[in-house]
Amino acid sequence: MHITKVFWYSIVICIAIVIWGFFAPDGLNESTVSATAFIYDYFGWFYIFVIIAMIGFCIYFMFSRFGKVKLGKDNDEPEFSLLAWFAMLFSAGMGIGLMFFTTAETISHAFISSPNATPGSDEAIIESLQYAMLHWGLHGWGLYSIVALVLAYFKFRVGAPGLISATLEPLFGEKIMRGPVGHIVDTLAIFATVVGVSSTLGFGSAQINSGLTYLFNAPKTLWFQLIILGVATVLFVMSAWSGIGRGIKYLSTVNILVAFVLLVLLFIVGPSTYILNLFTTSIGKYAGNFIEMSFELKPINGDQRQWINDWTIFYWAWWISWAPFVGMFIARVSKGRTIKQFIAGVLLAPTLVTFIFFSVFGGSALYLEQNGIAKLSTLVTETVTFGMFQHYPLGTVLSFITVFVIAIFFITSADSATFVLGMFSTGGQLNPSNIVKITWGLALALMAAIVMYSGGIKGFQNMLIISALPLSLIVTLMVISFYKVIQKNE
């Protein structure tokens, strides 16, 4: 099974977190709050520079002489079709968040807490989509692109193990990175993946429950959510068991196609002209204010600085903590593509698709509240989308499709994570054993159950933010190591 020490270290840490979260959720939350606040206040600027630098590296590697270099041997061809490749990377990188935040985040920026304007004002409504694009666009996908590029190059071009630690060997040497230091790096990557994905699964169970309550008046209880989680766990473990070339590929492709059907239907029955106008205006403002928003920290105004901490810095930390998992998965499915093709596909295509989704879903939600048709800002996050559908034709049909899409996103995110955790804990095996994948699938489900039982989601989120600090340094070192090797080899 090629199980390494990293597997056992990670399992022990996960069990400790589960016990802590189960018996003392308040203690878990309180212990991480002060550390998170410290990181926000003193290292927010560092996260910003790291994220911006990754976009710069993407542009450089895409248009430099390295753009023609293949992620594999010179005669290697892409393993997956363009549609299957895009579906898998988008499902792993975006997942359930697309259904949660396209409506809830834009409504929050416009009517609850705005970055610069008075909530509810015309300026706040325009800004809401512009900042949502900032948080879900080029910055995050630029980070994923670089981490995935480095991992893919080292794995398929250099022949190194599929591990974060392996990419640092050119800087620190094989002896150090295959010893305790390397184990710490890989264990940190696993820890961030487990905490991040289990938190998302907790969110996903709650949103599926909300959808079933809306459609069938199903009970909205913890036990019902645990049943949903149990069913989903069986399905995503089966998907991971069948491998990337079967279950994961087919589910991701089906999900992307159904999600597009949902997008088109909502655009047709929704305020189409309003959406197009909002999309055009927001794209223009996003492009025009790109530099200013990218470096925005609001050091003078305390309230505005808090907004930056709560949203922008939080998102940068979130993207960084997800980078090892998503980066490794994207790398795994990208063998045979050139660096130029790879960056164009991972950086630009998901960003454009994300902007369209936010404009259609967010625009439809904003229209209702702006015109006094619905008070969506009073709903909890997981019910905003279903609350919006109630006010449009085909609302029940759209809700049915949404529950289906969330469920499949739930499964595709979890099976991808299970697969990557298997790789990280077996010395970088491209196809980890089924026993290892099942173990990680059960660990993710158990952690998600603890999140739901204890209501300790905030504590888990805080741990994610804390883990992002050392990971941001590791990502920076990965890029330096990559540049050193590619300059020498190519």
Side-chain angles (χ1 to χ4, degrees):
M1 290 189 289
H2 301 286
I3 290 176
T4 64
K5 291 179 181 177
V6 171
F7 175 86
W8 297 111
Y9 296 155
S10 306
I11 288 291
V12 169
I13 291 173
C14 289
I15 291 173
I17 296 296
V18 166
I19 293 173
W20 190 7
F22 184 82
F23 289 104
D26 292 338
L28 175 65
N29 185 25
E30 291 170 5
S31 299
T32 55
V33 165
S34 56
T36 305
F38 178 82
I39 290 172
Y40 277 161
D41 290 339
Y42 291 95
F43 291 95
W45 63 272
F46 181 62
Y47 286 165
I48 284 177
F49 275 108
V50 169
I51 292 283
I52 288 294
M54 297 307 147
I55 299 177
F57 286 128
C58 282
I59 296 170
Y60 170 72
F61 286 119
M62 190 174 178
F63 294 105
S64 71
R65 64 187 174 90
F66 303 124
K68 296 180 181 177
V69 173
K70 269 196 173 181
L71 299 174
K73 303 305 177 189
D74 289 338
N75 57 352
D76 282 342
E77 294 299 325
E79 187 178 356
F80 300 100
S81 69
L82 202 57
L83 175 61
W85 178 60
F86 177 77
M88 285 191 285
L89 73 89
F90 191 75
S91 294
M94 188 60 78
I96 297 170
L98 196 66
M99 294 293 112
F100 264 120
F101 294 104
T102 45
T103 54
E105 181 172 343
T106 47
I107 284 291
S108 178
H109 294 345
F111 297 102
I112 299 174
S113 177
S114 304
N116 300 302
T118 302
S121 65
D122 291 346
E123 186 182 357
I125 292 170
I126 295 295
E127 273 193 345
S128 65
L129 194 54
Q130 174 187 330
Y131 275 86
M133 288 177 171
L134 172 75
H135 296 152
W136 291 85
L138 290 172
H139 294 72
W141 287 102
L143 176 72
Y144 282 174
S145 298
I146 287 297
V147 173
L149 173 65
V150 175
L151 286 164
Y153 183 83
F154 274 91
K155 177 62 188 173
F156 299 121
R157 188 79 176 177
V158 178
L163 298 169
I164 300 290
S165 59
T167 66
L168 302 178
E169 287 183 10
L171 289 182
F172 301 105
E174 183 177 319
K175 185 177 179 181
I176 291 177
M177 295 317 299
R178 299 198 180 188
V181 175
H183 294 160
I184 292 173
V185 169
D186 293 327
T187 302
L188 181 64
I190 289 177
F191 173 75
T193 301
V194 171
V195 172
V197 174
S198 58
S199 301
T200 304
L201 297 184
F203 269 136
S205 297
Q207 197 178 28
I208 292 172
N209 193 174
S210 292
L212 295 177
T213 300
Y214 170 73
L215 290 169
F216 306 112
N217 200 28
K220 199 170 183 179
T221 63
L222 171 65
W223 284 109
F224 197 73
Q225 291 178 15
L226 290 175
I227 292 171
I228 293 170
L229 177 65
V231 173
T233 300
V234 172
L235 295 174
F236 79 69
V237 169
M238 288 173 62
S239 175
W241 179 302
S242 66
I244 285 182
R246 300 180 64 186
I248 295 176
K249 182 180 77 172
Y250 295 137
L251 279 178
S252 299
T253 305
V254 167
N255 205 31
I256 288 296
L257 295 176
V258 176
F260 269 98
V261 170
L262 178 65
L263 178 82
V264 172
L265 280 177
L266 180 59
F267 177 74
I268 292 171
V269 302
S272 308
T273 305
Y274 179 89
I275 290 169
L276 290 173
N277 290 335
L278 191 64
F279 173 75
T280 305
T281 303
S282 300
I283 283 283
K285 285 189 169 290
Y286 172 78
N289 299 312
F290 184 83
I291 299 296
E292 182 182 345
M293 289 194 300
S294 296
F295 289 95
E296 199 170 39
L297 264 179
K298 307 285 188 187
I300 307 299
N301 187 311
D303 291 339
Q304 290 183 335
R305 173 56 196 265
Q306 190 59 46
W307 192 94
I308 294 290
N309 283 347
D310 291 343
W311 285 98
T312 306
I313 303 300
F314 169 77
Y315 267 116
W316 296 166
W318 187 280
W319 283 95
I320 291 169
S321 61
W322 273 64
F325 147 52
V326 180
M328 188 69 249
F329 185 76
I330 294 174
R332 173 63 183 83
V333 299
S334 300
K335 181 181 179 183
R337 299 192 182 278
T338 66
I339 288 179
K340 182 175 286 188
Q341 289 172 343
F342 175 86
I343 293 177
V346 182
L347 175 68
L348 302 180
T351 297
L352 179 60
V353 171
T354 300
F355 287 177
I356 294 171
F357 265 92
F358 265 87
S359 298
V360 174
F361 280 77
S364 299
L366 291 171
Y367 179 84
L368 293 177
E369 184 133 358
Q370 183 188 2
N371 291 283
I373 301 170
K375 195 73 173 172
L376 299 178
S377 56
T378 60
L379 302 177
V380 294
T381 303
E382 63 265 25
T383 59
V384 173
T385 301
F386 297 108
M388 173 189 72
F389 286 148
Q390 290 181 4
H391 300 277
Y392 288 112
L394 302 176
T396 302
V397 174
L398 295 174
S399 295
F400 263 113
I401 300 174
T402 300
V403 170
F404 177 80
V405 170
I406 292 170
I408 303 298
F409 265 136
F410 187 110
I411 294 167
T412 52
S413 293
D415 62 14
S416 307
T418 302
F419 202 93
V420 169
L421 288 169
M423 292 180 66
F424 281 156
S425 56
T426 57
Q429 292 284 312
L430 282 180
N431 293 297
S433 70
N434 287 326
I435 294 297
V436 173
K437 287 186 286 189
I438 290 172
T439 302
W440 282 119
L442 294 176
L444 287 173
L446 193 57
M447 294 276 278
I450 290 297
V451 169
M452 292 187 287
Y453 170 77
S454 64
I457 186 71
K458 189 63 181 174
F460 276 62
Q461 285 181 340
N462 289 341
M463 283 194 290
L464 208 60
I465 306 307
I466 295 167
S467 68
L469 185 59
L471 281 173
S472 61
L473 181 61
I474 290 171
V475 168
T476 305
L477 293 172
M478 286 172 67
V479 177
I480 296 171
S481 178
F482 171 62
Y483 184 72
K484 179 181 177 181
V485 172
I486 197 172
Q487 197 177 37
K488 178 183 174 184
N489 291 355
E490 313 295 342

